[in-house]
Amino acid sequence: MAIEQTLSILKPDATRRNLTGEINARFEKSGLRIVAQKRIRLTMQDAMNFYKEHEARPFYKSLCEFMSSAPVVVQVLQGEDAIAAHRKVLGATNPANADAGTVRKDFALSIDENSAHGSDSAASAAREISFFFSSLEIVG
């Protein structure tokens, strides 16, 4: 198995409810290591730039408004097959379809307020990590 890095974002619905520690404990328990982390407040423009690939989709504007509505925690997770491992801990995007014990099943308020984001591929992870972090900020 390959050691990978992936981006994780704890979304406004999670930070508003002080779930950062509980969610991160699940990531760490699964074998992922937090190698970079910061709490930030995205501007609407930041959110629009980050989610630009979804610009043509009907949910784009509301997603950007939500992601800029309160602080988020952006972080880089590292571990064996980190992208797949992280997504397994997160569960399905729609919490109604998520497995029991996953972050989204246990904490999401809705499909839109689903508590966390995770990169879906190595290419996305590289792009997303570089959006938020310089190489100097990622330490193992």
Side-chain angles (χ1 to χ4, degrees):
M1 291 190 209
I3 299 296
E4 295 177 325
Q5 292 181 338
T6 189
L7 184 80
S8 177
I9 303 176
L10 303 183
K11 295 180 176 181
D13 63 294
T15 62
R16 279 188 191 111
R17 294 179 292 146
N18 295 320
L19 297 173
T20 302
E22 281 186 70
I23 294 172
N24 280 337
R26 291 181 185 210
F27 297 154
E28 291 179 329
K29 187 178 262 188
S30 77
L32 295 168
R33 185 174 184 177
I34 300 168
V35 295
Q37 182 183 68
K38 54 189 165 186
R39 185 179 183 95
I40 62 172
R41 178 77 183 254
L42 294 171
T43 66
M44 183 66 167
Q45 190 61 54
D46 293 333
M48 291 170 69
N49 291 337
F50 182 74
Y51 287 107
K52 190 156 186 66
E53 68 187 83
H54 299 301
E55 191 172 29
R57 295 194 160 163
F59 61 82
Y60 174 71
K61 185 176 182 213
S62 63
L63 172 63
C64 294
E65 288 171 347
F66 168 62
M67 291 300 291
S68 60
S69 69
V72 297
V73 174
V74 293
Q75 52 197 9
V76 179
L77 306 178
Q78 181 174 294
E80 289 187 16
D81 294 319
I83 296 164
H86 181 234
R87 293 182 70 79
K88 182 177 181 180
V89 175
L90 290 179
T93 302
N94 183 343
N97 300 330
D99 291 337
T102 62
V103 167
R104 290 177 174 149
K105 187 64 158 187
D106 293 347
F107 300 120
L109 299 174
S110 68
I111 191 169
D112 298 320
E113 294 184 82
N114 63 9
S115 300
H117 163 89
S119 302
D120 62 5
S121 68
S124 290
R127 178 183 56 78
E128 292 175 353
I129 290 168
S130 69
F131 186 90
F132 292 108
F133 295 95
S134 77
S135 60
L136 294 174
E137 296 175 293
I138 302 170
V139 295

